[in-house]
Amino acid sequence: MVWEKESDNYVIPSYASVKIEGQNSALAGVDGVDKYGYAKINKDKIAISPNGDGYYDELIPSLYLFRSAKSMSVDILDFDNFATNTNYSKKDIKVTGKVSAKTKTLKIAGNDVEIKDDRSFEADVKLNEGVNIVTVYAADKDGNELANYGVKIFCDVTAPVITLTSPSVNGGVINASSHKLELKGTVSDNFQGYEFRINGEEVIKYENDAKFGPKVNTKEFTKELNVNDGDIITLKAVDLFGNEAVNKYTVKINPSLGVSVDNVTDGGYYNKDVTPNVKYNADLYDVTITVNGQPYENGQTITAEGSYTLAVKSVLKGEDKPQGIQEYKFTIDKTAPVVKINGVENGKAYNKDVLPKIDVEKGAVVTSITLDGKAYDGSAIIIVGKHVLEVTAVDLAGNISEKIVVFNISAPKPEDPNKNPGNSQDKPNPGNNQSKPGTGNTSSSISDNSKKPVNVNNTNGINNKVANANIPKTGSMVNATSILLASIMLIVAGVAIINDKKKKASK
């Protein structure tokens, strides 16, 4: 920069304010002096861009006081693609540009950058998502600092999020009940803002430079559309960095969605009359109703037992397709389930153990089995006395059956010792071995006539079962013990009778 005249005095130039890389700066743009000796300001030299990229570049240094001189030089750092408040949609960027001839050292983001012979450079910079401050440092060959500042830039690689809350979507398909469809949902972004469109029409446009994140920029939307079967609906959101989210849905018009059926469910069982009620807007839909293939008058009560299929066909008013079809299969069953108890009969008595077997009709389940008021485990019943077996069952329609069997178990009768063919007390002694008074051997007679009764009902195992069973302390053990004592008393009585007869015979 050449001065118009030399002077030994100090010259204080004027200041010029200009935005450099988006920031206000006071930089020298001195171009000679006026007639009063004050510096002239040439605005064209305040900010220059030799490569024509449109970015303002810093002038180094910014001089506030000049001494008389014939010329002045400045150093320039010129970036091709790097400036304050620039937005990047990727985390790895390559910074390029040129430096002045005086610049010998250059660092970007703390890393040394090679300066080529033509004074160009390029540097790889890694960004974090959000706000980044990238440092720039330059020095001459003597180590004098030429530049040392930070560049604030933004990075966002995440697309906005579109959430459709209504209607429901199944496999990319929106089922509509008619040609009118209302969309509801939200849009959010992780950074500064976005533009949201439905089928190309702008619905939301939002920017916020002060606060970032989905907590502040989530917005709701509601949009009513006219649709036809097979239409494609496109929801698109693009953020300020160019990241975009696109959701596409196919419309399937299903008139059944506008028709509802009350008082009956598909697969239902009922133990009472059924009155299906089909609800719909007659101004929007034409509906046909049948039961088991026959026309059905809506609201008519069905009373007979049996299986039924209620079919509801619907179309939009004045149209023949698409057609919605709903089917409800149900059963009316008012009859209680059949319960059978085999192995024991009501009112009968048994002198052996019994093992009941319970059967119910298909579809019914047994809900309760009790023996004498207590839960029954299905094992053989061996306890002597009166018993009450009660079974409860329920079918699919909720009908309940109760079956009660009352029976008795008594002790087996022992055999009469006098009818034993092996008893020789009434027969003459062929060997003339009849005992004499005082010398008769009665041990043999007692032994022969003290045999246990024969178990004609094959219940030999009962006593063992009683002894080994876990019998409740309710008197059952007393009954078993009484049977044993009674048997022993009968044997003793029989022995006493035999001895008495022998004594009489010996007299």
Side-chain angles (χ1 to χ4, degrees), residues 131-147:
V131 181
N132 293 261
I133 303 297
V134 180
T135 59
V136 177
Y137 174 83
D140 62 17
K141 63 179 181 178
D142 297 323
N144 297 313
E145 185 179 283
L146 301 177

Side-chain angles (χ1 to χ4, degrees), residues 373-429:
K374 298 181 180 179
Y376 173 54
D377 63 3
S379 60
I381 303 171
I382 63 175
I383 304 302
V384 173
K386 179 182 177 180
H387 296 286
V388 178
L389 181 64
E390 186 172 353
V391 179
T392 303
V394 62
D395 63 17
L396 295 173
N399 301 299
I400 299 175
S401 284
E402 292 184 355
K403 181 81 171 181
I404 299 176
V405 174
V406 180
F407 60 95
N408 279 275
I409 295 180
S410 59
K413 275 189 176 183
E415 286 190 2
D416 186 351
N418 295 323
K419 294 182 179 181
N420 190 334
N423 189 343
S424 59
Q425 63 178 0
D426 295 327
K427 297 180 181 180
N429 189 342

Side-chain angles (χ1 to χ4, degrees), residues 194-214:
Y194 50 87
E195 184 180 273
F196 173 63
R197 294 176 176 268
I198 297 178
N199 289 344
E201 181 182 348
E202 183 179 294
V203 178
I204 300 174
K205 188 173 184 178
Y206 174 79
E207 291 185 25
N208 191 336
D209 293 333
K211 295 181 179 180
F212 308 138

Side-chain angles (χ1 to χ4, degrees), residues 259-261 276-280 286-300 302 309-314 326 328:
V259 180
S260 62
V261 179
N277 183 25
V278 181
K279 295 184 187 178
Y280 62 95
D286 291 326
V287 176
T288 302
I289 310 172
T290 62
V291 171
N292 289 350
Q294 300 300 315
Y296 169 77
E297 182 180 348
N298 193 22
Q300 180 182 353
I302 303 172
T309 298
L310 174 72
V312 181
K313 298 180 180 180
S314 55
Q326 302 176 69
Y328 297 84

Side-chain angles (χ1 to χ4, degrees), residues 72-143:
M72 182 181 72
S73 63
V74 295
D75 290 301
I76 300 174
L77 271 176
D78 187 32
F79 291 100
D80 296 327
N81 58 347
F82 191 66
T84 297
N85 294 331
T86 303
N87 293 338
Y88 293 93
S89 59
K90 55 184 179 180
K91 292 186 176 181
D92 296 318
I93 64 173
K94 188 178 289 294
V95 178
T96 61
K98 282 190 174 185
V99 298
S100 68
K102 291 184 64 176
T103 304
K104 299 301 181 184
T105 301
L106 177 63
K107 290 186 178 183
I108 298 177
N111 298 317
D112 291 328
V113 178
E114 179 186 359
I115 301 173
K116 299 179 181 178
D117 294 340
D118 61 355
R119 292 184 288 126
S120 66
F121 64 87
E122 61 180 35
D124 293 325
V125 177
K126 288 187 177 293
L127 304 177
N128 296 315
E129 198 157 10
V131 181
N132 293 261
I133 303 297
V134 180
T135 59
V136 177
Y137 174 83
D140 62 17
K141 63 179 181 178
D142 297 323

